[in-house]
Amino acid sequence: MQPQAPAVAGAEGSPSTAGCIGANCDLSPPHITIATPAPAPAPWPWQDRIAWIANLVLVVLGYAGVMLVLSLLKKIEQHMRGGEVATAAAAESAQAALLFAQAMQRAERPWIMTSVMPSQSVQDGFTIVAANRGRGPACIVSTVDEAVIALDERHLPPVPAFKSDPSTPAEPMILLPGESVEIASFSRGDVKKLCETEEQLKRVENWEQRIYLYGNVAYRDLGAPD
C-alpha cells in the first residue's frame, strides 16, 4: 500500500496547486470576478426625437430673427444719421439763403444820409440836406431836430433828447435814388434866439462855447411791405 499526498483547498474553496512549497502557499491565487453586465440603453422614442428637432428649429429661427432685428436696427440708425445730416445741410442752406436775401434787400433798399451845406440864400447860414444814397425809393415819415449850447462833445447828453415831438411833413417827401431835399436850416439870427443871455452870446461868439445841432430822420422803404 502506497502513501498519498494530502489535498490543499484554496481561498474560494478550490483545490490549491499541487506541489506548493514555501510560505507563499498560504496566499490566495489571483482570480477574476464577473460582475452583472450593464443594462442595454433604452430606445429613443419618436416623440422625443420630434420634440428635439422642433426645439432645434426654434433655436435656429430665433437666432436668425435676432440677427435680422439687429441688422434692421443698424440700417435704421444709419438712415437716422443720414436724415440728421440732410436736415442739418438743409438748415444751413436755408440760413444761407436767408442771409443772401437779407443782403440783397439791404443792397436794394434806400439809405437816407444827412449832410450840411452852405445856404445859398442866407448869409452865414447853412442847411441840413437829406439825400437818398441807396438803390430804392424812400418816403420821409417824420423829422425832429434840437440845438444845444455846450463846451464840447463830452458835455452833450449820451442819449439824444428832444424838447419837441417829431413833425410830419405837410406834403409827402419821396426821394428816388440820388435825390435830396432840405429838411432844416440854421443862420446867425438863430444864434441870438438860442442864447438866453448876452453873456452866453458873447461866449459863443468868442468860441468859449459851441452850438450843436442834432436830429433824427425817419423814413420808409417804398419797395418793402407795409
Side-chain angles (χ1 to χ4, degrees):
M1 183 174 180
Q2 295 180 356
Q4 297 180 354
V8 181
E12 298 293 333
S14 60
S16 176
T17 305
C20 180
I21 303 174
N24 293 331
C25 294
D26 296 336
L27 300 176
S28 300
H31 60 278
I32 299 174
T33 302
I34 299 176
T36 303
W44 194 6
W46 63 271
Q47 296 90 345
D48 295 343
R49 296 181 183 182
I50 294 176
W52 184 83
I53 294 175
N55 291 332
L56 180 61
V57 172
L58 291 177
V59 171
V60 173
L61 292 177
Y63 178 77
V66 171
M67 297 303 296
L68 180 61
V69 170
L70 292 177
S71 177
L72 290 176
L73 291 176
K74 289 182 179 179
K75 292 182 178 179
I76 292 174
E77 183 180 1
Q78 292 177 356
H79 284 298
M80 292 180 63
R81 291 180 179 177
E84 292 177 356
V85 173
T87 302
E92 292 179 357
S93 300
Q95 183 67 20
L98 178 60
L99 294 176
F100 178 76
Q102 292 176 350
M104 290 296 296
Q105 183 180 7
R106 288 194 296 267
E108 297 298 328
R109 57 161 288 184
W111 293 95
I112 301 298
M113 308 295 292
T114 59
S115 59
V116 178
M117 304 289 294
S119 177
Q120 301 296 330
S121 58
V122 180
Q123 186 178 2
D124 297 332
F126 60 88
T127 59
I128 300 175
V129 178
N132 186 357
R133 303 300 184 187
R135 296 183 179 181
C139 178
I140 295 180
V141 177
S142 64
T143 61
V144 62
D145 59 87
E146 190 70 35
V148 295
I149 298 176
L151 293 176
D152 49 30
E153 290 85 351
R154 294 176 298 176
H155 293 80
L156 294 176
V159 178
F162 300 97
K163 297 179 181 179
S164 59
D165 297 330
S167 60
T168 303
E171 297 180 359
M173 300 174 65
I174 298 177
L175 297 179
L176 297 178
E179 292 184 344
S180 61
V181 64
E182 179 182 339
I183 58 176
S185 62
F186 193 83
S187 64
R188 186 175 182 85
D190 296 324
V191 175
K192 296 180 179 181
K193 297 179 182 179
L194 185 62
C195 296
E196 298 178 355
T197 62
E198 291 293 334
E199 296 180 357
Q200 190 176 39
L201 177 59
K202 291 181 179 180
R203 288 196 296 269
V204 171
E205 291 178 347
N206 295 331
W207 294 91
E208 297 176 0
Q209 287 184 329
R210 297 180 180 182
I211 298 176
Y212 294 91
L213 280 78
Y214 57 87
N216 181 48
V217 178
Y219 62 97
R220 183 169 60 90
D221 182 5
L222 294 179
D226 293 341

